[in-house]
Amino acid sequence: MEKNQLTRILYGGDYNPEQWPEESWNDDIEVFKDTKINSITINVFSWSLLQPCEEKYDFSKLDKIIEKFSKAGFKIVLATATAAMPAWMFKKYPDVGRVDYQGRRHTFGQRHNFCPSSPNYQRLANQLVDHLSQRYATNQAITVWHINNEYGGYCYCDLCQKEFRKWLQKKYHSVAELNRAWNLTFWGHTIYDWEEVVVPNELGDAFGPENTDTAVSGLSIDYRRFQSDSLLKLFRNEKKIIESYDDHVLITTNFHGTPNPDLDYFKWAKFQDIIAYDSYPTYDTPAYKTAFLYDLMRGLGHGKPFMLMESTPSQVNWQDYSPLKRPGQLQAQELQAVAHGANTVQFFQLKQSVGAQEKFHGAVIAHSEKADTRVIQEVKRLGKTLEQLPPELLQAKKQNKIAIVFDWSNLWAVNYVAGISKDLDYLATVLNYYHALYDLHVAVDVIGIDDDFSQYQFVIAPMLYMVKADLGEKINTFVENGGKLVTSFFSGLVNETDNVYLGGYPGPLKKATGIWVEESDAILPDKSVKIQFTDGQATAGNLLCDLIHLEGASSLAQYTSEFYQGTPAITKNVFGEGIAYYVGSNLNNDGLKHLFKNIFQAANCPLSITNYQPSPLEIYSRDWNNTEYVFILNLSDSAEKIPADLNLQNYQPYFNSSPNNSNSVEAFGVKIFVSKN
Amino acid sequence: MEKNQLTRILYGGDYNPEQWPEESWNDDIEVFKDTKINSITINVFSWSLLQPCEEKYDFSKLDKIIEKFSKAGFKIVLATATAAMPAWMFKKYPDVGRVDYQGRRHTFGQRHNFCPSSPNYQRLANQLVDHLSQRYATNQAITVWHINNEYGGYCYCDLCQKEFRKWLQKKYHSVAELNRAWNLTFWGHTIYDWEEVVVPNELGDAFGPENTDTAVSGLSIDYRRFQSDSLLKLFRNEKKIIESYDDHVLITTNFHGTPNPDLDYFKWAKFQDIIAYDSYPTYDTPAYKTAFLYDLMRGLGHGKPFMLMESTPSQVNWQDYSPLKRPGQLQAQELQAVAHGANTVQFFQLKQSVGAQEKFHGAVIAHSEKADTRVIQEVKRLGKTLEQLPPELLQAKKQNKIAIVFDWSNLWAVNYVAGISKDLDYLATVLNYYHALYDLHVAVDVIGIDDDFSQYQFVIAPMLYMVKADLGEKINTFVENGGKLVTSFFSGLVNETDNVYLGGYPGPLKKATGIWVEESDAILPDKSVKIQFTDGQATAGNLLCDLIHLEGASSLAQYTSEFYQGTPAITKNVFGEGIAYYVGSNLNNDGLKHLFKNIFQAANCPLSITNYQPSPLEIYSRDWNNTEYVFILNLSDSAEKIPADLNLQNYQPYFNSSPNNSNSVEAFGVKIFVSKN
Amino acid sequence: MEKNQLTRILYGGDYNPEQWPEESWNDDIEVFKDTKINSITINVFSWSLLQPCEEKYDFSKLDKIIEKFSKAGFKIVLATATAAMPAWMFKKYPDVGRVDYQGRRHTFGQRHNFCPSSPNYQRLANQLVDHLSQRYATNQAITVWHINNEYGGYCYCDLCQKEFRKWLQKKYHSVAELNRAWNLTFWGHTIYDWEEVVVPNELGDAFGPENTDTAVSGLSIDYRRFQSDSLLKLFRNEKKIIESYDDHVLITTNFHGTPNPDLDYFKWAKFQDIIAYDSYPTYDTPAYKTAFLYDLMRGLGHGKPFMLMESTPSQVNWQDYSPLKRPGQLQAQELQAVAHGANTVQFFQLKQSVGAQEKFHGAVIAHSEKADTRVIQEVKRLGKTLEQLPPELLQAKKQNKIAIVFDWSNLWAVNYVAGISKDLDYLATVLNYYHALYDLHVAVDVIGIDDDFSQYQFVIAPMLYMVKADLGEKINTFVENGGKLVTSFFSGLVNETDNVYLGGYPGPLKKATGIWVEESDAILPDKSVKIQFTDGQATAGNLLCDLIHLEGASSLAQYTSEFYQGTPAITKNVFGEGIAYYVGSNLNNDGLKHLFKNIFQAANCPLSITNYQPSPLEIYSRDWNNTEYVFILNLSDSAEKIPADLNLQNYQPYFNSSPNNSNSVEAFGVKIFVSKN
């Protein structure tokens, strides 16, 4: 079915009018209008208000809210309120609470704490959503349904254990196949009955801090898949109910984290009408990490724009230190999201709570309830800027020529790896590659392993440790047909259930890369190994150093220290019409930039409008049809020069946060250029 | 009723003659007499000896001990022995044990581990105390009854949960009022029945390390109040029983910690006939912290002298490192307590145990059982000094002109604050202020929020985050009537249940301070913000920087860095007859000393006999009628000069630990002067 | 009975052919033969394969393995497979799983997780061993039976609690005696019934991180003794069953750790036919620590050679960082074991698993399954070297003139000490002494407190905190009869149940040492106290400084800082025919070397062939009859000079890893010399 798309940038965010006297709503509306806020997200944690006991629903307050704010012209993002269960549910049905990693059943408290396998939770949640959607489905103000909230976390209860066994039966069919898949002869773990499978928490095969260590990685990885699937099932159930009343409205849930390690978002993304993301960089998050996350969100939607569903207009209450946003910083940060594909700019929150956990989280309307605060001025300034952006931008579907691969199964599998170096970190490695590309102003898409590689000139897949059955062949075909692959150490090692490919690393990637890796040296945290490119450029690697045998490939760089000095460190293999690059160690940022510049230039591939000239500015573009909007963002607190070779002759100025100094951008300044057609 | 007061300084401490052969008691008595020890504390952990099973009591050993030592002329501090339950109680009545923060029921082990809501514990403890007091109440040697021991710790069992609901009903009357008080609409926590309230441990609303994080601060703070009250009820029950047999004897329990965060000692203090404190500075505790704690103990008793009920004559067994006390150090440290109001000098312990947890805790009589050890020489030296002190000193009731406020509800509330900076620390902030005053030799009283402010010229209340209902008005009145208030950032934010005062910070303190704080910047741990006084003096602030609007106040200092440079950092507001100072950031020690010196001098207030000349010496006095005893204490391990402008012309020498060098004090030296009448 | 001894060095290790297709076995055999591997360890974790359910055993696969490999000429080390229980056992008999220190019953998962008191585990394990030994006892290829695997860990379940009470009854006979032994009057812990004893986990008397803190050290120490005994009983049961079928085959289990703190290996050693050890130095383990552990293993067998049962041919999967072994490093490290008495060189593992916990642990045959890897070349090189070693070496029984004492009860007791300094560490102190001796190339035996001291000229017993009943007299007699004792601070303090000896430290050692220690100063981590030998040599002590009174002894060194400067720091006491040295502080390595050199030279005792000339090389010898094999090992990654005064005139070259540079040894080089007869 075709869903109704957003027709303008939603500007607004989470709002809890039920926490305030109705008389105050008009004052709030005045502030919202003044700051160009045009939408509100409501009902996120209202279950206990909507249903005081199992037998009774009460929508009177919600009716009033929706009527008031829709009449006032606000678009509504309506949450289904199933993320925080009422106290009476725990009392009546203790199984709705989760059993934790330490094996303990939780009682009422917190939020996001429902057992996904609890029939009581499922029944009561679905009933609530049925009532809600029946009642409000026809309301035209409701632009997006927001299911539950920030799904995440796992349960280890007996109900989950039972469902897990069923999930396994469906996947593996026989106990023998399960034994093989998880290599259960190891440590005599062989089972003879599905009932012998035990959840992997601290009382079973797991140990160490939560979800870091396990005796049986196949089990632990599958349990994460199962829990991700179980939570997804809850989402899909709610979605189905809403669609039974209205199949044109956008339905989504908000993704979160950096990213959230609990859910395979590529699997979840398929069921989202639009991707939504809660973005909370800390005071010391480098801008490239936030950019990566936005690119990931755009990638989850196959290049389509996404919702920035939560962000703070001011401070955050749960981070260690939350300095004030400096003048202009709010606008620069929110426009970074827009540059990368956000079609909404939404805050958590529009008005600060008076009590409990998040009372010191920043908001548009602060505890002072004053309408002329510094924060409101900043929000207003941003509101005006957003109004200037063309509505066509909302249709933009971004497609770059370079993709970087990110995969949750790899995240999980590398996380459980016991061996060689405890510093192996899949996300950090992917970010290391993304960082170099970002510094070179090379725009990339972040894609999953099931996405279409053939659309890209380059696919960059560092630390592709787990290569499930058909992925190896897919990669080989991609290269054979002219694609260019960049992969790295600790790739091609295991199959989907974390069993090693025999016959030499990097397993299924040996064919395309033309190498065999015999061993990997672990480099101590404060040490590095010298590496020299064939062009003479010196660099260094850390973490791991692969001892590589060339089997068709040629060497692009070699180690120049340690007993394996003189052996290849980076290789290049022409395979069919394409090329596969293999990076045998964890290069530092300079080394990666040197490598990328060389291979992109060798590919004669004008991917960067700065000719790969690094600068601290972020330069990113969105385009629609043939119109391109180039965002130049200064996300730092000092003025920065625009790179001399930035070629803007085909563009004209569109927006400038500060009219002066055309050759530099002031602290937290933003310039937008539009392509001349 | 009028209680019998102490008539001489008690010198002695914890003693367990039941652990030793009766033949050895005479040897011990000889050492005690030789060192001037005149009292013993006994029976602290003797429950299992006094009651071998529920049906049987056996006082034969205790009879002998009391007879022996009272006949030998020792004053007895008699404990009620209810702090460590016998093993048989756990076996017979498992509910006497606590359920911990992790949700686990404890078995027999440790001590101080009774559930305050257990009817079995209550019944058996009261029966024991009834037997004890019936038996010994008439013994004239018993000078003080010592109830239980170092009360503390919490329980989270079902019995406590039940009692907690009753406690809440009594406080809030209706569920609606509870919902409002704790702001339970947040995260949909609204309850509809008292039975839906759940204890705040890790299985409910709490998270993170023990008692640091909670989703519902109102709940967690009230639970602390409830547990403090529940333990206090146990104390009061025992006290009532003793008083039914003798209503003239002093009854107390020993406070502890730096201070103990579990109990609201201001609430407890009302029920103590004399405040008693166990003092255990570590090797690296700065002397001002110990001084603060003694002033707090004196403040708990409204200026009356207190008991130093425990301290070590030598080493401590539970601290990370316990170097030997250097020659003279014992005397200097114990006289510090006396200077601040102690009427007893008591040790834990008089004789070292041979086995278990505390066998390496220092004692007067060590494992060697020798009578001429270095430690015994030090104890003897101190004994002689104490004998020289005039008995009038025991009646001294100290009243200073400056008070610093300390409040347990604030301690708890700030502890649970989620936001802005994780380094917010109520106690550390109060100590920062105390430290500056101590360095200036300004004597202060430590008072609670319910104490009478009108007795003081200055009330210093930094980080007064929680301002319960009538406190704001009380402060305003105090200033209006001529009082001088010093308060700081992070004050006046919330009411008694941790809900924010709307309309602008510092809430009820806006009136007196004449300012509005719009926002607070969080300063990173290794950073600071520059501040300049109007007199040109430069200083720096860290932790938080308030962005202050003057609403009647004037600026005493302004920020000179960051985007808010030029705005007020410290303000002064003339309000009625008085003045309110507001310090917008966490000043370093130099900045605070500069501020205090200025405002005290401006007040024309001769508070320090050194004219605010800082020195490493501690200078503190006790007075009785019009006689003042000035103690000059060197608590460091090097000789220190006496400040040149110390004005002692109205005093004459009374005691000198070392007769030479009248212009300096040797390492751990002590001088006492007495006022000329 | 006389057991069949090893007749050649076993070279091989853990192998799991059941994890691989039978067709691959021939390839493996080819690699083994090529590298001189002559033995395999099998069946370690095969219980679930051998017994798919309680009613059924299946030995078909094991039959094939044993037949195949014995026919191929391999010696077999056969494990009893009881270390990892099948999943069905947990499902059928939950009591087979342990209850942990946190009080939680564990389910199926991991390994080494059987409750030692579970009758179900005992019955099923014994039945399995009965079947196994009945079936394979007569097989001549089986050279060693390997019972269970790396015993360790404790259980705190109700069954263990019950058995513990029985164990206590047997040891203490009466409750009164138990109360006395554990000093239970302390904190009113007195019990009146055996049923009142509670296991010391976190719900009882223990606190802090696992097995670090306890209120009742006597209880916690006895619980460790009990658990060690309980696990030993399991071992002995299995051994008895095997011996009922064959009483000539060697039976052992593999010791592990650095060393394993859970088991009293001196008690266990008595029941081993040959000591076996799993050795896993980390990348940064200094060579002397590994040498100490090998000497400990030889000491456990009273000087007899031991099995190096596990070691890695390459990397380790569970250490933080596992760099590749450098060329030659494998040979040098394995020959270090042989030099200290190993008669086997066994690897974990011969072939890498494809999945689960240890798949990245190094192996002879790697995942590549290639036969010509770098690791295989190193294994082959070592195989050839081992073939060159004379078979007589296997009979060597090493006896040195110096012994250093190590004792598990001391390890446990010091671990629970609460007091003075948290850095007290028994193992570290013993290693500090061993390190100095190692640097001086002085060969020592590591012995237990029950071993015969009279064989030695010097017995070195630092930090002999716990001195059980007869040990004091044994030491006095040793010295009286001419022995030389070196002991230190924190010695002679407590008896076997951790009760302090009254009358002055070092308790029963006062007599031989001729001193009395009045107090011990705790030295802060970054501080030290100056010490000067009577010969003028300056050194320093840290951790503790004893304040020593000479009672017959003379001073060898004195403190030259702190208030006790001028008092003795190291003393010497001539007692009978012998001498007792007492070291009052924790000397640094230089101080200890100076002390040892002096006292050895004073004893006119030529203990080192280098005349105590330190060097980074390890120099150690094995001898048989009168033939001595001197190993010179360079365990570092740079070439090292041979000490100029190494006297080899009575020796001739036997083996040289590199023929050049007779005055130095290359990185990881090895030279062996043999004595001229």
Side-chain angles (χ1 to χ4, degrees), chain A residues 5-11 38-39 73-75 343-344 391 394:
Chain A
Q5 298 305 309
L6 299 179
T7 54
R8 55 173 178 171
I9 289 182
L10 290 191
Y11 190 43
N38 59 29
S39 78
F74 290 90
K75 296 288 176 198
N343 270 2
T344 74
L394 275 72

Side-chain angles (χ1 to χ4, degrees), chain A residues 299-595:
Chain A
L300 289 169
H302 292 101
K304 283 192 296 182
F306 59 91
M307 297 176 77
L308 176 65
M309 212 184 215
E310 287 185 23
S311 61
T312 181
S314 168
Q315 289 165 307
V316 173
N317 83 297
W318 49 264
Q319 296 174 356
D320 285 354
Y321 305 99
S322 199
L324 294 172
K325 293 200 178 185
R326 268 44 198 164
Q329 190 174 8
L330 176 70
Q331 169 161 295
Q333 288 186 329
E334 304 297 88
L335 289 179
Q336 184 189 23
V338 173
H340 285 264
N343 270 2
T344 74
V345 171
Q346 291 167 283
F347 299 121
F348 182 88
Q349 50 195 340
L350 298 191
K351 193 166 181 177
Q352 269 185 313
S353 307
V354 297
Q357 175 70 8
E358 298 182 328
K359 63 180 170 295
F360 292 119
H361 198 293
V364 174
I365 301 173
H367 290 138
S368 68
E369 300 193 291
K370 292 186 200 279
D372 57 352
T373 61
R374 197 183 68 86
V375 167
I376 286 178
Q377 299 311 320
E378 297 275 330
V379 169
K380 197 166 165 178
R381 177 184 179 186
L382 172 58
K384 281 184 190 158
T385 303
L386 292 176
E387 271 198 340
Q388 292 176 48
L389 295 180
E392 298 83 20
L393 205 65
L394 275 72
Q395 313 308 321
K397 188 174 182 307
K398 179 75 179 177
Q399 169 74 49
N400 290 304
K401 293 169 188 165
I402 301 188
I404 191 162
V405 171
F406 186 76
D407 175 51
W408 263 263
S409 278
N410 256 287
L411 184 72
W412 295 333
V414 172
N415 167 66
Y416 290 121
V417 164
I420 310 187
S421 170
K422 77 180 178 72
D423 296 342
L424 288 169
D425 182 330
Y426 176 62
L427 178 60
T429 306
V430 170
L431 281 168
N432 194 29
Y433 277 71
Y434 184 90
H435 188 186
L437 295 164
Y438 178 92
D439 284 353
L440 298 171
H441 309 299
V442 174
V444 302
D445 291 351
V446 180
I447 63 171
I449 56 169
D450 291 330
D451 285 326
D452 181 7
F453 289 8
S454 71
Q455 309 175 65
Y456 295 97
Q457 290 186 18
F458 281 88
V459 168
I460 299 169
M463 201 180 272
L464 197 67
Y465 166 73
M466 176 175 278
V467 175
K468 65 177 200 182
D470 50 348
L471 179 60
E473 207 34 50
K474 175 175 170 175
I475 289 173
N476 290 337
T477 305
F478 164 70
V479 180
E480 208 160 13
N481 292 342
K484 290 180 186 70
L485 172 77
V486 180
T487 187
S488 83
F489 64 96
F490 222 65
S491 293
L493 271 75
V494 298
N495 69 9
E496 195 197 330
T497 57
D498 208 28
N499 284 337
V500 172
Y501 288 109
L502 297 177
Y505 313 134
L509 304 182
K510 274 168 64 183
K511 204 164 139 192
T513 56
I515 58 162
W516 166 47
V517 175
E518 182 175 339
E519 296 178 281
S520 297
D521 196 19
I523 312 306
L524 302 180
D526 51 345
K527 298 273 195 274
S528 63
V529 171
K530 291 183 191 166
I531 290 173
Q532 192 173 33
F533 284 92
T534 47
D535 66 8
Q537 177 74 35
T539 185
N542 53 58
L543 190 63
L544 287 193
C545 285
D546 282 346
L547 274 60
I548 299 173
H549 296 270
L550 300 178
E551 297 193 333
S554 58
S555 176
L556 279 192
Q558 62 178 13
Y559 298 112
T560 52
S561 63
E562 297 308 317
F563 73 87
Y564 39 86
Q565 62 184 259
T567 70
I570 307 175
T571 64
K572 169 187 175 179
N573 191 44
V574 177
F575 179 69
E577 304 293 311
I579 302 176
Y581 297 92
Y582 184 92
V583 186
S585 184
N586 194 41
L587 292 191
N588 59 27
N589 185 268
D590 279 344
L592 276 176
K593 282 192 294 203
H594 187 75
L595 175 68

Side-chain angles (χ1 to χ4, degrees), chain A residues 69-102:
Chain A
F69 286 85
S70 59
K71 276 200 181 148
F74 290 90
K75 296 288 176 198
I76 292 175
V77 178
L78 185 62
T80 60
T82 55
M85 297 174 283
W88 59 258
M89 275 179 68
F90 282 87
K91 192 160 161 286
K92 194 163 182 184
Y93 306 112
D95 68 87
V96 301
R98 290 184 185 166
V99 167
D100 67 17
Y101 199 69
Q102 288 74 40

Side-chain angles (χ1 to χ4, degrees), chain B residues 249-314:
Chain B
V249 70
L250 292 170
I251 305 174
T252 190
T253 188
N254 47 346
F255 292 166
H256 70 293
T258 58
N260 173 16
D262 298 336
L263 308 183
D264 183 342
Y265 279 158
F266 278 104
K267 218 164 167 184
W268 279 64
K270 296 189 190 115
F271 302 97
Q272 311 299 316
D273 292 335
I274 183 167
I275 300 296
Y277 179 58
D278 297 349
S279 176
Y280 290 107
T282 60
Y283 66 89
D284 57 355
T285 303
Y288 78 88
K289 286 194 183 176
T290 310
F292 169 81
L293 291 163
Y294 294 145
D295 283 350
L296 171 61
M297 291 304 135
R298 197 185 62 249
L300 288 169
H302 293 102
K304 284 194 295 183
F306 58 92
M307 299 176 76
L308 176 65
M309 211 185 216
E310 288 186 23
S311 61
T312 181
S314 166

Side-chain angles (χ1 to χ4, degrees), chain B residues 169-190:
Chain B
Q169 262 182 284
K170 206 165 156 189
K171 179 171 183 184
Y172 294 108
H173 311 295
S174 74
V175 158
E177 183 55 22
L178 181 71
N179 282 327
R180 196 206 53 75
W182 292 352
N183 195 40
L184 290 182
T185 52
F186 179 79
W187 284 359
H189 268 48
T190 307

Side-chain angles (χ1 to χ4, degrees), chain C residues 37-55:
Chain C
I37 281 173
N38 58 28
S39 78
I40 58 173
T41 299
I42 55 172
N43 206 44
V44 180
F45 295 113
S46 299
W47 195 343
S48 66
L49 289 183
L50 300 178
Q51 192 176 12
C53 61
E54 184 165 4
E55 297 73 23

